[in-house]
Amino acid sequence: MLNLIFVFTIIISFVFYFYFKTKQFRSPLPIAKNWYKSKANIGFGSFLVFFGLNQAYLFPTMYTFIIVAILVVLGIFVILENTKKARHYGQFVEEEFRINQ
């Protein structure tokens, strides 16, 4: 059951990443592009975390735990840094949309 939860969250985080990456490529506005990029990277960071936890659940060996620790730390770092960036760019996105339309 726990494996199904991990698989579901991995799929959701990948869809989240893919959706915002597509929005990033299609947006002509530079601040919105950066905002979508940071939101896509939040999805990528959550993918790293959940993928690592799923691997630790499936293959409980010492080597797996070392790699999982690296993936989880990297994923949390990516999530935290891009959350800050998304908040920063989010302040200006609405104004940029209003000015350019």
Side-chain angles (χ1 to χ4, degrees):
M1 183 66 180
L2 188 60
N3 188 32
L4 290 175
I5 293 171
F6 282 138
V7 169
F8 180 73
T9 55
I10 288 169
I11 292 170
I12 293 298
S13 62
F14 180 74
V15 168
F16 185 76
Y17 170 77
F18 186 73
Y19 173 75
F20 282 113
K21 203 57 153 172
T22 305
K23 296 279 276 185
Q24 174 194 350
F25 286 129
R26 297 187 76 185
S27 176
L29 306 174
I31 295 175
K33 219 178 244 286
N34 288 333
W35 186 55
Y36 290 135
K37 179 181 177 182
S38 59
K39 288 177 112 14
N41 285 338
I42 292 170
F44 179 69
S46 64
F47 172 80
L48 286 176
V49 170
F50 291 125
F51 180 78
L53 293 175
N54 188 34
Q55 293 303 306
Y57 178 73
L58 292 176
F59 308 107
T61 63
M62 182 55 82
Y63 297 119
T64 306
F65 289 141
I66 292 169
I67 294 171
V68 165
I70 293 169
L71 286 175
V72 169
V73 167
L74 181 64
I76 289 172
F77 178 74
V78 169
I79 290 170
L80 292 177
E81 285 299 312
N82 285 291
T83 301
K84 291 178 194 175
K85 289 179 184 179
R87 277 194 213 135
H88 173 72
Y89 291 126
Q91 299 171 359
F92 307 111
V93 168
E94 184 178 324
E95 182 180 349
E96 186 181 44
F97 284 144
R98 187 174 40 81
I99 290 172
N100 291 307
Q101 289 182 355

